[in-house]
Structures are given as structure tokens and as C-alpha cells.
Amino acid sequence: MIVVHHLNNSRSQRVLWLLEELGMPYEVKRYQRDPKTMLAPPELQAVHPLGKSPVISDGDLTLAESGAIVEYFAERDSEGRLRPPAGSPERLRYTYWMHYAEGSAMPPLLLKLIFSRIPKGPMPFFVRPVAKAIAGRALSSFIEPQIKRHLDFMEQELGKTAWFAGAEFSAADIQMSFPLEAAAARGGLDASRPMLSAFLQRIHARPAYQRALAKGGLYELLT
Ligand SMILES: N[C@@H](CCC(=O)N[C@@H](CS)C(=O)NCC(=O)O)C(=O)O
């Protein structure tokens, strides 16, 4: 039996959604973030040494890293529903977006979250203005321009094809949902990005997405 080790408000929501799309039976084992630090509880480290989510168990296999998990299940589907045919141009795009989501899109979004929190953290009162200035400078000079560049790129790409890999919905769209939801939650999506906003509306309307939400519980993107 597939077990999804699911941390609340996390990337493992994508795995639940994928399994719902594929109609694969699974169990959800829930873990709660520490409300102060937002870190995963130590029990997750007993499943995988990094103690992060998602991680899945499938018989003797334990697999972490959302892209690897998404590809593993997409490959296992005998009907090949969520993966373009091997060797096709769509398959190369699929591979590209599968890696891009965590390798390129997420780092600046994570930096934004961290640097926005720095001035609010505990520190002596006289240090706070300095921390605020340094964090503000990092945000305005590097992080925000990087996020803008990525969002412009994704907006442009979604103007070429309906879904990230091509005309058909694929597991790459599931993998790409997290950076786009994170960008929306962190204020980076507005009327100037109609393609990305429409993408989010389309995925949120999918019955499998809705079922996954019901399984995973409250979902507010945090990290
Ligand atoms: N690149 C990894 C990132 C995993 C990751 O950072 N997961 C976050 C949840 S979205 C986590 O477990 N955070 C809690 C912690 O680091 O303790 C993936 O895509 O699986």
C-alpha cells in the first residue's frame, strides 16, 4: 500500500492530487508543523533522514523529493495518462518543467519568505532597523527581480500551449502548481499575469484537486 507522509500546508499536497488524478489507492499519514518554527516534527526524520515532506512509502521503497515522487507514480500508470510519450517534444518539456519547479522557480520564492520574516523575528530592538534594512535591500535588489523574471517567463510559456508540457494536462502541471500557488500567496500574481492566474483557476476546478484538498486538510502555502 502506498503511504503518503503528509505534512500540513506543504508540497505533499501535490502528491495527494497526483494520486487522485491517477486513481491509485493510498493512505495518508499526517504530520503537523511546529506552529512557531513551521518545521516538520522529528517523526518525519524516522521516515527519511532529511525529515521533509513529501516522502512516500511503497512496500520496501521510501522515496523523497516531490519531483522524483511525481515521476515515479506517473511512470507507474499503465495507461500513461499524465506523461507525454517518450521521445516526443512534449516529453522533453515535461522533464524540463518537472525539474524547473523545484530547481529554479522555488528558490527565489523561498528566499522571499525567509527575508520577509527576518525583521519580524526575535532580536534586540536596536538591531531591528539594521535587519530590516538588510532584508529590504536583499528583497528589492535581488529576490523580487528574480521572481519577476521567472513569472514573466512562465506567463510567456503558458501563452504558447494550454499546459506546461503541451496541449494535454500532465504531471508536470501538478509539479508546477506549487511555485505558482506560492507566488500567488506571496503577492506575485495580479492582472498582469492572466495566463498564470487562469492556470491556477483551471487546476483548482479539477475534481481530483478538490478530492486531494479534502484528504490533505487545510492548505495555506507557507514554505
Ligand atoms: N525540494 C523538496 C523540498 C522539500 C521541503 O522543503 N518540504 C517542506 C514542506 S513544503 C518541509 O518539509 N518543510 C519542513 C521542514 O523543513 O522541516 C521537494 O520538492 O520535495
Side-chain angles (χ1 to χ4, degrees):
M1 173 56 94
I2 296 165
V3 179
V4 181
H5 299 273
H6 176 68
L7 182 67
N8 61 310
N9 289 329
S10 81
R11 287 162 168 89
S12 53
Q13 191 63 42
R14 275 188 296 208
V15 176
L16 304 184
W17 176 24
L18 175 78
L19 291 168
E20 290 293 334
E21 290 280 355
L22 293 173
M24 286 182 182
Y26 62 95
E27 274 173 19
V28 180
K29 190 158 181 221
R30 291 167 186 274
Y31 301 80
Q32 290 296 319
R33 291 176 185 269
D34 180 303
K36 272 201 182 135
T37 63
M38 299 318 293
L39 292 175
E43 297 92 277
L44 255 182
Q45 243 182 309
V47 183
H48 185 279
L50 294 181
K52 300 211 177 274
S53 180
V55 57
I56 59 112
S57 319
D58 185 11
D60 290 341
L61 173 77
T62 301
L63 187 62
E65 200 56 54
S66 45
I69 297 169
V70 168
E71 283 201 66
Y72 169 70
F73 288 129
E75 284 301 317
R76 265 193 33 183
D77 178 46
S78 54
E79 295 171 43
R81 280 170 290 183
L82 295 181
R83 56 176 204 266
S88 64
E90 288 79 9
R91 183 55 170 258
L92 191 54
R93 286 176 63 84
Y94 168 92
T95 304
Y96 174 80
W97 293 111
M98 200 64 86
H99 287 264
Y100 170 89
E102 289 294 324
S104 291
M106 278 313 293
L109 289 162
L110 184 57
L111 284 175
K112 176 165 180 175
L113 184 75
I114 293 166
F115 276 82
S116 308
R117 280 184 185 168
I118 284 176
K120 299 172 199 153
M123 66 188 82
F125 74 92
F126 54 87
V127 176
R128 197 174 300 280
V130 180
K132 206 172 165 182
I134 293 172
R137 175 106 181 126
L139 280 162
S140 64
S141 66
F142 177 70
I143 299 166
E144 294 288 6
Q146 286 294 315
I147 292 175
K148 181 183 177 311
R149 191 184 294 187
H150 280 283
L151 291 176
D152 287 347
F153 170 58
M154 292 185 268
E155 175 75 18
Q156 209 176 16
E157 290 296 306
L158 270 188
K160 295 178 187 165
T161 52
W163 298 101
F164 278 102
E168 303 295 330
F169 175 77
S170 77
D173 297 300
I174 296 179
Q175 182 68 354
M176 282 298 293
S177 64
F178 192 81
L180 289 176
E181 287 179 330
R186 285 159 217 173
L189 289 191
D190 56 21
S192 68
R193 312 213 190 270
M195 296 298 179
L196 298 182
S197 302
F199 172 86
L200 286 179
Q201 278 174 12
R202 278 184 288 148
I203 63 169
H204 292 163
R206 291 181 76 88
Y209 185 99
Q210 299 288 335
R211 289 197 299 275
L213 275 189
K215 291 263 175 76
L218 182 67
Y219 181 46
E220 297 165 21
L221 284 157
L222 297 161
T223 68

